Structure formats: C-alpha cells, structure tokens
Amino acid sequence: VDVSYMVDVEIGYISVNRFSATTKDEFEKALNKLKEQGLKKLVLDLRNNPGGFLDQAFKMADELLASGKKVVYTKGRRSEFSEEYVSNGGSKFQNIPLIILINHGSASASEIVSGAIQDWDRGLIVGETSFGKGLVQRQFDLSDSSAFRLTIARYYTPVGRLIQKPYGKDMAEYRKPLADGEGDEIDNLEHKTESDSARPKFKTAAGRTVYGGGGITPDYIIKSERLTDYTAQLRGKAVFLEFSNRFFEKYGTDFKKKYETNFKEFMSEYQINDELLNLIQDIGKKKGVAFNKEQYEKDIKFIQALAKAQIARTIWGNEGSYPIIQKEDEQFQKAIKLFPEAEKIAGLH
C-alpha cells in the first residue's frame, strides 16, 4: 500500500503498487484507519500494479465481497492444477460503495481483483483496459541454483472470462495495450466499440455485458492524459527531486515555519510561481533536457503539480503528494463522480 487517506469527509483512497506477502494486512490496516476517519466510499487504485501473489489478490477481494462469491478459478491441462477461490464474507467492508481504477499497466493479481468485483457487480471499474496477464506458473529449482518456470494453468474471472491476452505470433503486437476504443466515458456502461465487437461477451451477476478475451475492460473507459516528451524527461531524470532539494536549501526555514503544521493551507494557497518554474527549466537543461516551449506550455499545470507534490512529499510523505497530483488526474477526478452509479449497480442505494 503506497498511501491511504480521506479525499473528503466520505471518500477514502487507497493506492496499492503490487501484491506482496503483506499486501492484505496492509490493505486491511488502511481500511480500518480510514473507517476511523469516517470512510463511507472507497477508491482503490490498482493502476500500474503488475500483480504478485495470488493469495493476496484473493484475500483483498475477500475483504470486499460477501460470503460464497467465487473470486477466481484456474484451469490447467491436468486437473490437479485446477483450483477455485471462494470468499468467506468475514469482512466489515462488504457494503461500502467501491470504485477501482485500472490501466494498461494493471496485470495479474490486479486483474483478479477487478475482474471479481466487476463480475459480481460489487463496484465500478474505471480507467483503461488492463494488461491481460493470466497465466499460472510453477517454479522448479535446479541443482545449480537456477530455476525454470512452467505454465500450468490459466486464470478465469467468476463468470468465466479468460484474463490472459492471446500471444499470437508477434511479440511486439502482444505487448501493445488492448484497444479501448473511445467508449462513451461517463455516458454509458455498455462500451460497444469496434475493438470490443470481436471479443467474447459475458454477463455479470446482474446481467451487465462484460468482455473476455484478455484483460479487464472497465465499465467506464477514461483515457489518461499523456505527458509530453519534455515533461517525461523531467520526471525520468529526477529534475523534480533536485528542484525540491534546492527549494528547501533556499526557502526551507520560512516554508516550514508557515506550512509544516498546516497542510490544508499549503494545498489551497501555495503556488509554484515563475521563479520556481525557471528553476525547474534550468535544472532540466543541466541534466540534458532541452527546453521545448510548446510542450512546456501544454503540460504547465502538471509540471506545477509535480513540483508542488515533491515539496509536499518532503514534509508529509505520500499523504501529502498524492492529493496534489490527483487534482490534475483526470481519471481520478471523473471516477469520484461515479459513486451514484457504483452504489446503484451494487444495490447499495
């Protein structure tokens, strides 16, 4: 769990970057912390989460589903490799309105969780179609301390959708994200795009159409804003980290005196001004990032957000930086408007 905090008086946010051996415990701890702070609705962010341990994916889904719900099952060529995972319903978070964010970097365990939530109409899946990684592998250790992994089964969602994207003959084509089409974004749950028409259709528990054939297609397709090459290079070459270091060397004492105990005031009133933007440009140039006026102006709000978030991270950690980035996160901003629909399909209104 990267971070967990309250977005407002009702909506809680939890970001999970991978499924490690402790993820379920971290997730449960985060849920309980937010519940004490007034949690009524939850955004679970699995974007760019490549997966990890199957049992942790099952346990996370188990925190959110009622008893007796199939979470995922595997089918192998040999029957002993076929398994089924069913929720036990022991959690107190089964009825909280839920939205899960995914994108093309969400894979494996992330797809197990989002697929189960979607198939049972438990919440809304928002963002972009996931990667499509649904193979079960067993590792065999060898005497020379090396190992090999053998694919022994495939993952399926509760209604029978194969998570794995077909390999085909072209590895470059396989690595491309599944096409989302334009969808209808916030207007329609049923995305009948050209790319979907060739994919097998399934019905959720409530009769909604969902798509198989690899990856999890969101209920609402919301494309992410793509950064320009200029901004991507600023991030990739740690320009914002050096900017923050330079900022605190020059302004740190006065800044901390004014804002260190008042994050809300920092959020609402502090601005990255022209002097600080010029500093970012200068650091970029010294790191080999050529200034591009057109791209800079296109990304100016996001550049300011990244700079402000890095300052916040230095003082308040991820709980300081994430809310700042989210103000410029179109997927997140649109997602939190969809809670009435999430409550409706889950039968919670």
Side-chain angles (χ1 to χ4, degrees), residues 22-163:
T22 60
T23 296
K24 184 267 181 183
D25 292 338
E26 293 177 32
F27 182 59
E28 185 178 17
K29 182 179 178 181
L31 283 171
N32 287 322
K33 181 189 85 170
L34 296 183
K35 185 174 177 62
E36 291 176 1
Q37 297 175 10
L39 177 69
K40 299 283 193 302
K41 305 169 184 177
L42 176 65
V43 176
L44 174 58
D45 194 343
L46 298 179
R47 289 176 296 179
N48 298 312
N49 182 321
F53 291 1
L54 167 62
D55 70 309
Q56 297 296 303
F58 163 67
K59 289 174 180 177
M60 177 182 284
D62 195 34
E63 286 289 313
L64 303 167
L65 290 169
S67 176
K69 304 293 187 184
K70 187 186 295 183
V71 173
V72 66
Y73 65 95
T74 64
K75 284 200 300 188
R77 187 168 53 195
R78 295 172 57 174
S79 60
E80 63 262 35
F81 295 144
S82 298
E83 296 182 279
E84 188 174 284
Y85 297 81
V86 179
S87 62
N88 62 35
S91 169
K92 54 183 177 288
F93 299 100
Q94 300 169 26
N95 296 315
I96 191 167
L98 175 65
I99 289 174
I100 296 181
L101 291 169
I102 62 171
N103 64 7
H104 300 315
S106 306
S108 189
S110 296
E111 296 171 298
I112 288 171
V113 173
S114 53
I117 295 302
Q118 189 177 53
D119 283 6
W120 288 113
D121 304 291
R122 173 61 186 84
L124 283 183
I125 311 302
V126 177
E128 298 161 291
T129 300
S130 60
F131 183 83
K133 182 178 183 292
L135 298 180
V136 184
Q137 295 181 317
R138 177 163 293 181
Q139 181 164 305
F140 295 86
D141 296 323
L142 303 177
S143 59
D144 64 353
S145 297
S146 66
F148 77 90
R149 289 179 178 173
L150 179 68
T151 299
I152 59 173
R154 296 186 177 98
Y155 290 127
Y156 293 81
T157 73
V159 299
R161 291 185 287 163
L162 175 63
I163 291 175

Side-chain angles (χ1 to χ4, degrees), residues 131 135 164-177:
F131 183 83
L135 298 180
Q164 177 67 25
K165 180 168 59 173
Y167 275 110
K169 298 179 180 179
D170 186 343
M171 181 57 70
E173 190 68 25
Y174 168 74
R175 292 186 179 278
K176 288 182 182 177

Side-chain angles (χ1 to χ4, degrees), residues 224-292:
S224 64
E225 288 289 322
R226 305 297 184 212
L227 294 179
T228 64
D229 288 342
Y230 175 71
T231 309
Q233 286 188 65
L234 291 179
R235 292 185 76 176
K237 295 192 176 182
V239 168
F240 294 102
L241 178 60
E242 184 169 332
F243 158 78
S244 178
N245 292 337
R246 298 263 291 273
F247 174 88
F248 279 101
E249 285 174 7
K250 187 171 183 179
Y251 306 108
T253 301
D254 291 339
F255 178 85
K256 289 178 180 178
K257 185 183 297 184
K258 184 173 184 179
Y259 292 114
E260 192 165 20
T261 58
N262 198 343
F263 175 69
K264 287 185 179 179
E265 186 177 340
F266 169 76
M267 270 282 289
S268 63
E269 74 172 35
Y270 192 81
Q271 300 293 324
I272 300 298
N273 58 28
D274 288 343
E275 179 187 352
L276 298 178
L277 287 170
N278 289 335
L279 176 59
I280 292 167
Q281 293 173 32
D282 290 342
I283 295 170
K285 289 173 185 175
K286 289 176 181 176
K287 287 178 172 281
V289 182
F291 180 71
N292 184 308

Side-chain angles (χ1 to χ4, degrees), residues 1-20:
V1 171
D2 276 324
V3 69
S4 60
Y5 62 91
M6 295 297 294
V7 177
D8 58 24
V9 295
E10 291 190 334
I11 300 173
Y13 172 86
I14 300 177
S15 173
V16 182
N17 64 44
R18 63 191 174 101
F19 286 81
S20 69

